[in-house]
């Protein structure tokens, strides 16, 4: 069986086989674990990360060519895993924040849409309660976008009458919607 000095003195590129893998694991597992733990402050995550590194090495043992000392390779690899973990964690937090912001905006839009829909129905209901001529003038103004002069010409009324009817309709609507003013 190989020992630590034989592992360190092995010729480069370093080849992984069952015997060298077991010895490398035994020699470096604890060092890699402590390196992880210093950065992550999480025992389980540190253990998982070190095990993932060794699993990856074992799975790639036939094509893996380690051209530096095995210790340097392992330390670089675990540092890379740690930095990848933090990069992914930061990205997940950004994604979560973005999702939360989107949900908040969506909720706000939904609330506004519901309120708008409710008020639109309430106004339509109030317009129905206006006298017929007042309703007609209000709808031509607000729903058809006609100005006072156009309404007066189409209904053969004076502009002053149109203005008075619109004022009357708006007053009535405001009066009955005053309960919603602060919402």
């Amino acid at each position: 069986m190989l020992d630590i000095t034989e592992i360190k003195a092995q010729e480069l590129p370093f080849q992984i086989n069952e015997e060298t893998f077991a010895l490398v694991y035994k020699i470096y597992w604890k060092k890699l674990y402590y390196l992880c733990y210093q950065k992550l402050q999480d025992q389980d995550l540190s253990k998982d990360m070190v095990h993932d590194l060794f699993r990856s090495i074992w799975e790639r043992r036939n094509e893996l060519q380690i051209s530096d000392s095995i210790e340097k390779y392992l330390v670089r690899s675990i540092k890379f895993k740690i930095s990848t973990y933090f990069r992914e964690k930061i990205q997940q937090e950004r994604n979560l924040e973005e999702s939360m912001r989107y949900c908040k905006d969506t909720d706000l839009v939904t609330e506004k849409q519901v309120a708008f829909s409710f008020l639109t129905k309430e106004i339509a209901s109030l317009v129905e309660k206006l006298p017929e001529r007042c309703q007609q003038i209000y709808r031509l103004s607000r729903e058809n976008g006609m100005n006072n002069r156009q309404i007066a010409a189409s209904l053969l009324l004076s502009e002053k009458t149109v203005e008075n009817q619109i004022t009357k309709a708006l007053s009535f609507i405001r009066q009955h919607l005053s309960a919603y003013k602060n919402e």
Side-chain angles (χ1 to χ4, degrees), residues 99-115:
S99 294
M100 295 297 284
R101 198 172 18 256
Y102 175 76
C103 287
K104 184 178 177 184
D105 291 348
T106 303
D107 289 346
L108 189 58
V109 167
T110 303
E111 279 181 34
K112 286 182 178 181
Q113 287 174 330
V114 168

PDB file of all heavy atoms in Angstrom, residues 99-115:
ATOM      1  N   SER A  99     -38.343  37.895  -8.208  1.00  0.00           N
ATOM      2  CA  SER A  99     -39.657  37.246  -8.171  1.00  0.00           C
ATOM      3  C   SER A  99     -40.575  37.930  -7.162  1.00  0.00           C
ATOM      4  O   SER A  99     -41.756  38.145  -7.446  1.00  0.00           O
ATOM      5  CB  SER A  99     -39.517  35.769  -7.800  1.00  0.00           C
ATOM      6  OG  SER A  99     -38.832  35.080  -8.796  1.00  0.00           O
ATOM      7  N   MET A 100     -40.022  38.257  -6.010  1.00  0.00           N
ATOM      8  CA  MET A 100     -40.815  38.930  -4.976  1.00  0.00           C
ATOM      9  C   MET A 100     -41.267  40.305  -5.466  1.00  0.00           C
ATOM     10  O   MET A 100     -42.411  40.702  -5.260  1.00  0.00           O
ATOM     11  CB  MET A 100     -40.011  39.070  -3.679  1.00  0.00           C
ATOM     12  CG  MET A 100     -39.661  37.753  -3.025  1.00  0.00           C
ATOM     13  SD  MET A 100     -41.099  36.829  -2.494  1.00  0.00           S
ATOM     14  CE  MET A 100     -41.533  37.756  -1.050  1.00  0.00           C
ATOM     15  N   ARG A 101     -40.356  41.024  -6.113  1.00  0.00           N
ATOM     16  CA  ARG A 101     -40.699  42.347  -6.643  1.00  0.00           C
ATOM     17  C   ARG A 101     -41.779  42.207  -7.713  1.00  0.00           C
ATOM     18  O   ARG A 101     -42.736  42.965  -7.737  1.00  0.00           O
ATOM     19  CB  ARG A 101     -39.436  43.002  -7.208  1.00  0.00           C
ATOM     20  CG  ARG A 101     -39.527  44.467  -7.391  1.00  0.00           C
ATOM     21  CD  ARG A 101     -38.231  45.183  -7.777  1.00  0.00           C
ATOM     22  NE  ARG A 101     -37.161  44.384  -8.304  1.00  0.00           N
ATOM     23  CZ  ARG A 101     -36.066  44.033  -7.633  1.00  0.00           C
ATOM     24  NH1 ARG A 101     -35.914  44.406  -6.386  1.00  0.00           N
ATOM     25  NH2 ARG A 101     -35.119  43.319  -8.197  1.00  0.00           N
ATOM     26  N   TYR A 102     -41.634  41.200  -8.567  1.00  0.00           N
ATOM     27  CA  TYR A 102     -42.624  40.968  -9.613  1.00  0.00           C
ATOM     28  C   TYR A 102     -43.985  40.634  -9.007  1.00  0.00           C
ATOM     29  O   TYR A 102     -45.005  41.162  -9.430  1.00  0.00           O
ATOM     30  CB  TYR A 102     -42.165  39.838 -10.544  1.00  0.00           C
ATOM     31  CG  TYR A 102     -43.190  39.465 -11.578  1.00  0.00           C
ATOM     32  CD1 TYR A 102     -43.400  40.263 -12.695  1.00  0.00           C
ATOM     33  CD2 TYR A 102     -43.979  38.319 -11.430  1.00  0.00           C
ATOM     34  CE1 TYR A 102     -44.355  39.931 -13.639  1.00  0.00           C
ATOM     35  CE2 TYR A 102     -44.928  37.980 -12.374  1.00  0.00           C
ATOM     36  CZ  TYR A 102     -45.115  38.787 -13.469  1.00  0.00           C
ATOM     37  OH  TYR A 102     -46.067  38.467 -14.395  1.00  0.00           O
ATOM     38  N   CYS A 103     -43.981  39.752  -7.992  1.00  0.00           N
ATOM     39  CA  CYS A 103     -45.240  39.374  -7.343  1.00  0.00           C
ATOM     40  C   CYS A 103     -45.885  40.578  -6.679  1.00  0.00           C
ATOM     41  O   CYS A 103     -47.097  40.767  -6.769  1.00  0.00           O
ATOM     42  CB  CYS A 103     -45.000  38.276  -6.310  1.00  0.00           C
ATOM     43  SG  CYS A 103     -44.653  36.678  -7.050  1.00  0.00           S
ATOM     44  N   LYS A 104     -45.068  41.392  -6.026  1.00  0.00           N
ATOM     45  CA  LYS A 104     -45.595  42.585  -5.358  1.00  0.00           C
ATOM     46  C   LYS A 104     -46.206  43.528  -6.386  1.00  0.00           C
ATOM     47  O   LYS A 104     -47.301  44.034  -6.200  1.00  0.00           O
ATOM     48  CB  LYS A 104     -44.469  43.283  -4.588  1.00  0.00           C
ATOM     49  CG  LYS A 104     -44.919  44.458  -3.781  1.00  0.00           C
ATOM     50  CD  LYS A 104     -43.763  45.069  -3.011  1.00  0.00           C
ATOM     51  CE  LYS A 104     -44.199  46.301  -2.258  1.00  0.00           C
ATOM     52  NZ  LYS A 104     -43.083  46.949  -1.590  1.00  0.00           N
ATOM     53  N   ASP A 105     -45.471  43.749  -7.504  1.00  0.00           N
ATOM     54  CA  ASP A 105     -45.987  44.611  -8.564  1.00  0.00           C
ATOM     55  C   ASP A 105     -47.252  44.032  -9.163  1.00  0.00           C
ATOM     56  O   ASP A 105     -48.207  44.746  -9.428  1.00  0.00           O
ATOM     57  CB  ASP A 105     -44.937  44.806  -9.665  1.00  0.00           C
ATOM     58  CG  ASP A 105     -43.752  45.636  -9.209  1.00  0.00           C
ATOM     59  OD1 ASP A 105     -43.844  46.260  -8.127  1.00  0.00           O
ATOM     60  OD2 ASP A 105     -42.728  45.652  -9.921  1.00  0.00           O
ATOM     61  N   THR A 106     -47.278  42.718  -9.356  1.00  0.00           N
ATOM     62  CA  THR A 106     -48.443  42.061  -9.922  1.00  0.00           C
ATOM     63  C   THR A 106     -49.637  42.186  -8.985  1.00  0.00           C
ATOM     64  O   THR A 106     -50.749  42.472  -9.425  1.00  0.00           O
ATOM     65  CB  THR A 106     -48.143  40.571 -10.195  1.00  0.00           C
ATOM     66  OG1 THR A 106     -47.013  40.493 -11.051  1.00  0.00           O
ATOM     67  CG2 THR A 106     -49.315  39.874 -10.829  1.00  0.00           C
ATOM     68  N   ASP A 107     -49.392  41.990  -7.681  1.00  0.00           N
ATOM     69  CA  ASP A 107     -50.465  42.139  -6.703  1.00  0.00           C
ATOM     70  C   ASP A 107     -51.014  43.553  -6.723  1.00  0.00           C
ATOM     71  O   ASP A 107     -52.224  43.756  -6.675  1.00  0.00           O
ATOM     72  CB  ASP A 107     -49.978  41.802  -5.288  1.00  0.00           C
ATOM     73  CG  ASP A 107     -49.710  40.322  -5.102  1.00  0.00           C
ATOM     74  OD1 ASP A 107     -50.147  39.525  -5.957  1.00  0.00           O
ATOM     75  OD2 ASP A 107     -49.069  39.964  -4.101  1.00  0.00           O
ATOM     76  N   LEU A 108     -50.117  44.532  -6.809  1.00  0.00           N
ATOM     77  CA  LEU A 108     -50.525  45.931  -6.830  1.00  0.00           C
ATOM     78  C   LEU A 108     -51.343  46.225  -8.081  1.00  0.00           C
ATOM     79  O   LEU A 108     -52.381  46.875  -8.016  1.00  0.00           O
ATOM     80  CB  LEU A 108     -49.293  46.841  -6.758  1.00  0.00           C
ATOM     81  CG  LEU A 108     -49.538  48.325  -6.559  1.00  0.00           C
ATOM     82  CD1 LEU A 108     -50.323  48.566  -5.271  1.00  0.00           C
ATOM     83  CD2 LEU A 108     -48.225  49.075  -6.512  1.00  0.00           C
ATOM     84  N   VAL A 109     -50.878  45.722  -9.230  1.00  0.00           N
ATOM     85  CA  VAL A 109     -51.608  45.917 -10.480  1.00  0.00           C
ATOM     86  C   VAL A 109     -52.973  45.247 -10.386  1.00  0.00           C
ATOM     87  O   VAL A 109     -53.977  45.830 -10.776  1.00  0.00           O
ATOM     88  CB  VAL A 109     -50.795  45.355 -11.680  1.00  0.00           C
ATOM     89  CG1 VAL A 109     -51.650  45.264 -12.927  1.00  0.00           C
ATOM     90  CG2 VAL A 109     -49.575  46.219 -11.929  1.00  0.00           C
ATOM     91  N   THR A 110     -53.008  44.049  -9.834  1.00  0.00           N
ATOM     92  CA  THR A 110     -54.271  43.329  -9.698  1.00  0.00           C
ATOM     93  C   THR A 110     -55.229  44.103  -8.803  1.00  0.00           C
ATOM     94  O   THR A 110     -56.410  44.246  -9.131  1.00  0.00           O
ATOM     95  CB  THR A 110     -54.030  41.918  -9.139  1.00  0.00           C
ATOM     96  OG1 THR A 110     -53.118  41.242 -10.002  1.00  0.00           O
ATOM     97  CG2 THR A 110     -55.309  41.138  -9.029  1.00  0.00           C
ATOM     98  N   GLU A 111     -54.712  44.616  -7.686  1.00  0.00           N
ATOM     99  CA  GLU A 111     -55.558  45.417  -6.792  1.00  0.00           C
ATOM    100  C   GLU A 111     -56.106  46.633  -7.516  1.00  0.00           C
ATOM    101  O   GLU A 111     -57.280  46.965  -7.396  1.00  0.00           O
ATOM    102  CB  GLU A 111     -54.746  45.897  -5.579  1.00  0.00           C
ATOM    103  CG  GLU A 111     -54.589  44.874  -4.497  1.00  0.00           C
ATOM    104  CD  GLU A 111     -53.799  45.427  -3.316  1.00  0.00           C
ATOM    105  OE1 GLU A 111     -53.919  46.631  -3.004  1.00  0.00           O
ATOM    106  OE2 GLU A 111     -53.054  44.644  -2.715  1.00  0.00           O
ATOM    107  N   LYS A 112     -55.241  47.303  -8.273  1.00  0.00           N
ATOM    108  CA  LYS A 112     -55.680  48.498  -9.003  1.00  0.00           C
ATOM    109  C   LYS A 112     -56.708  48.138 -10.071  1.00  0.00           C
ATOM    110  O   LYS A 112     -57.664  48.869 -10.285  1.00  0.00           O
ATOM    111  CB  LYS A 112     -54.481  49.212  -9.626  1.00  0.00           C
ATOM    112  CG  LYS A 112     -53.644  49.953  -8.605  1.00  0.00           C
ATOM    113  CD  LYS A 112     -52.503  50.690  -9.258  1.00  0.00           C
ATOM    114  CE  LYS A 112     -51.706  51.451  -8.222  1.00  0.00           C
ATOM    115  NZ  LYS A 112     -50.602  52.206  -8.826  1.00  0.00           N
ATOM    116  N   GLN A 113     -56.493  46.991 -10.741  1.00  0.00           N
ATOM    117  CA  GLN A 113     -57.445  46.566 -11.758  1.00  0.00           C
ATOM    118  C   GLN A 113     -58.801  46.259 -11.132  1.00  0.00           C
ATOM    119  O   GLN A 113     -59.837  46.615 -11.686  1.00  0.00           O
ATOM    120  CB  GLN A 113     -56.921  45.333 -12.503  1.00  0.00           C
ATOM    121  CG  GLN A 113     -55.794  45.642 -13.456  1.00  0.00           C
ATOM    122  CD  GLN A 113     -55.190  44.390 -14.065  1.00  0.00           C
ATOM    123  OE1 GLN A 113     -55.190  43.339 -13.450  1.00  0.00           O
ATOM    124  NE2 GLN A 113     -54.667  44.519 -15.270  1.00  0.00           N
ATOM    125  N   VAL A 114     -58.789  45.614  -9.991  1.00  0.00           N
ATOM    126  CA  VAL A 114     -60.040  45.287  -9.299  1.00  0.00           C
ATOM    127  C   VAL A 114     -60.737  46.576  -8.875  1.00  0.00           C
ATOM    128  O   VAL A 114     -61.952  46.743  -9.078  1.00  0.00           O
ATOM    129  CB  VAL A 114     -59.781  44.360  -8.087  1.00  0.00           C
ATOM    130  CG1 VAL A 114     -60.997  44.249  -7.191  1.00  0.00           C
ATOM    131  CG2 VAL A 114     -59.337  42.981  -8.560  1.00  0.00           C
ATOM    132  N   ALA A 115     -59.972  47.494  -8.295  1.00  0.00           N
ATOM    133  CA  ALA A 115     -60.555  48.771  -7.855  1.00  0.00           C
ATOM    134  C   ALA A 115     -61.101  49.548  -9.051  1.00  0.00           C
ATOM    135  O   ALA A 115     -62.210  50.106  -8.991  1.00  0.00           O
ATOM    136  CB  ALA A 115     -59.511  49.603  -7.109  1.00  0.00           C
TER     137      ALA A 115
END
